[in-house]
Amino acid sequence: MFNIISNMNLRWSLTFFLIALTLLSFIGCRQSALQKAIPVTHEDQYHSELPIKMASVDMDQIAGSVKKLFCIVEYDVYHFDESDKMNREKLSQINLKRSNARRTAFNESVHGTATVLQNNRYGMVLLTCAHIVSNPDTVISFYASNSREGIIESIAIKKTQMNFIRDNETNILLRILAIDQKPDVAFLGSDSPSDAADVQAFRYLVGNANALHWGTPVYLMGFPGGHQMLTRAVVGNPNPSTSGDFIVDATFNPGGSGSLILALSENDQLFELVGIAKSASATFSNIIRPEKESHQETYNPNLPYEGDLFVTRVKNINYGVTFATSINTIRDFYIQHRKSLTREGYNLDEFFSLK
């Protein structure tokens, strides 16, 4: 009997020992796994993705060459009654200023981003988007009820247009040197070189947009919402078309058109210009608005509005889908207009690495 009890105790002791050994092994493995999954670091926990050598002086230089571009255009508008049966043929035979047409005027002001590429004794040459400074000379509206007959409701004729940047509280007037709506690119030149003598030009290299890939990090410098800022994005689609242009996931706001798009070269970690932001994906809707906007007159929301109503087309931006004009397209645009630009005193061959 004693031997049986001893053997049973021995078996229980051996069983307990094996269970304890298994638990210790499991705990040891668990601790080892946790130590590997959560490494402890005490330095360099936070760091900038921009190279340290570029974080200060270089960004200041780039910011100094990127300017807020203003465009103010004024139109004279002549209105006709539907009973006048005014068409293009009749319009060509009358003097609008002496006609009985009701006359009004309106102006539009837009802003965007332009970059100084060169500044010499002839003045500045700036790169921007064409749509910022492109305004038609004449805009004709027709009566909807007589659209097939071409009965004119109004004709707006451009009276003045002023393009300018502001530097040190001085407005520097600009003229269009070359422009093309299809690639949405324009070169502007200053009228008075002396006013722009201290404006620094962009001095970094021109890159190759064809070398961009899905997810390539890029940096945008411009004036979205009227505020100069640097923002980071990635290339969302490097080849949406055969033109070489691309799409980035940057948040686009009015004023961002023309913003520089920069990429860091893999070898020397220096910025290269790979394109400019031109537009965002958007939908449009029509809204009814009063004769005067909120900044011109305050309306009582508790009283019915009794004035004239107007239809305004409103753009609803799809944020995060920004279209870019590639530096390759811009280079081709320069080559196309090179002769006229060099006659004006602007030779950008070295900037575009054509020599």
Side-chain angles (χ1 to χ4, degrees):
M1 185 68 179
F2 177 79
N3 289 335
I4 295 174
I5 294 173
S6 298
N7 290 336
M8 290 179 63
N9 290 337
L10 182 61
R11 287 198 201 110
W12 280 109
S13 299
L14 182 60
T15 301
F16 178 81
F17 175 77
L18 291 175
I19 293 173
L21 182 62
T22 301
L23 288 173
L24 287 173
S25 299
F26 174 78
I27 293 172
C29 293
R30 180 63 174 174
Q31 288 176 340
S32 176
L34 289 174
Q35 289 174 358
K36 291 180 180 178
I38 309 177
V40 179
T41 58
H42 300 285
E43 58 184 9
D44 295 332
Q45 187 171 354
Y46 302 101
H47 63 277
S48 172
E49 293 190 7
L50 288 175
I52 296 176
K53 63 180 180 180
M54 302 190 63
S56 172
V57 177
D58 294 85
M59 293 313 305
D60 286 341
Q61 194 282 329
I62 293 173
S65 64
V66 178
K67 302 295 181 181
K68 187 176 181 179
L69 172 64
F70 299 86
C71 178
I72 301 175
V73 60
E74 184 179 358
Y75 284 90
D76 285 332
V77 186
Y78 300 87
H79 305 266
F80 303 97
D81 293 330
E82 193 169 4
S83 59
D84 293 333
K85 299 294 182 181
M86 183 61 65
N87 55 30
R88 291 180 181 272
E89 183 179 355
K90 289 183 179 180
L91 187 64
S92 64
Q93 298 172 357
I94 65 172
N95 186 326
L96 283 172
K97 293 183 178 180
R98 297 180 180 178
S99 69
N100 295 325
R102 182 167 57 92
R103 183 174 174 178
T104 60
F106 77 93
N107 61 71
E108 290 185 350
S109 176
V110 299
H111 68 273
T113 302
T115 301
V116 181
L117 300 186
Q118 189 179 92
N119 191 9
N120 57 23
R121 62 189 180 92
Y122 297 100
M124 293 187 300
V125 57
L126 299 93
L127 169 66
T128 190
C129 288
H131 72 263
I132 301 173
V133 295
S134 178
N135 295 284
D137 293 330
T138 304
V139 180
I140 299 178
S141 300
F142 298 90
Y143 281 101
S145 58
N146 285 295
S147 58
R148 292 185 179 180
E149 299 178 20
I151 303 302
I152 296 174
E153 181 179 11
S154 66
I155 176 171
I157 299 176
K158 184 165 65 175
K159 184 179 179 181
T160 60
Q161 177 170 329
M162 184 169 61
N163 313 309
F164 64 95
I165 61 172
R166 186 167 295 169
D167 188 71
N168 295 327
E169 303 302 323
T170 300
N171 293 333
I172 301 174
L173 296 179
L174 304 170
R175 54 195 172 89
I176 299 174
L177 301 176
I179 190 168
D180 193 335
Q181 289 286 347
K182 187 175 181 180
D184 202 1
V185 180
F187 288 128
L188 308 179
S190 61
D191 289 327
S192 179
S194 59
D195 290 342
D198 59 343
V199 177
Q200 54 188 336
F202 183 81
R203 61 178 178 84
Y204 289 88
L205 297 175
V206 166
N208 178 15
N210 292 333
L212 298 174
H213 302 288
W214 298 87
T216 299
V218 292
Y219 300 87
L220 282 73
M221 171 68 77
F223 286 85
H227 305 283
Q228 187 173 26
M229 62 180 293
L230 175 74
T231 186
R232 185 182 185 278
V234 298
V235 175
N237 189 338
N239 303 299
S241 66
T242 57
S243 64
D245 296 343
F246 55 97
I247 301 175
V248 298
D249 70 344
T251 300
F252 191 90
N253 283 283
S257 297
S259 297
L260 291 185
I261 302 180
L262 308 163
L264 281 169
S265 60
E266 194 168 321
N267 296 328
D268 50 19
Q269 291 289 288
L270 295 176
F271 275 128
E272 292 184 355
L273 176 60
V274 294
I276 59 174
K278 63 178 179 180
S279 62
S281 172
T283 58
F284 295 87
S285 59
N286 293 323
I287 64 169
I288 300 296
R289 66 171 181 83
E291 182 179 4
K292 295 182 179 180
E293 297 291 356
S294 59
H295 67 279
Q296 297 173 310
E297 185 171 332
T298 302
Y299 298 99
N300 188 339
N302 298 316
L303 297 177
Y305 175 77
E306 297 180 352
D308 293 331
L309 295 175
F310 297 84
V311 177
T312 298
R313 195 179 188 211
V314 177
K315 179 188 290 185
N316 305 303
I317 296 177
N318 299 321
Y319 293 101
V321 184
T322 297
F323 300 100
T325 300
S326 72
I327 192 62
N328 306 63
T329 298
I330 298 170
R331 184 190 290 110
D332 292 341
F333 172 75
Y334 167 69
I335 294 173
Q336 181 183 356
H337 296 276
R338 183 179 178 278
K339 289 184 179 180
S340 62
L341 288 167
T342 51
R343 281 197 301 266
E344 296 277 355
Y346 305 112
N347 190 320
L348 299 175
D349 285 5
E350 184 176 355
F351 178 80
F352 286 106
S353 303
L354 298 177
K355 290 185 177 181

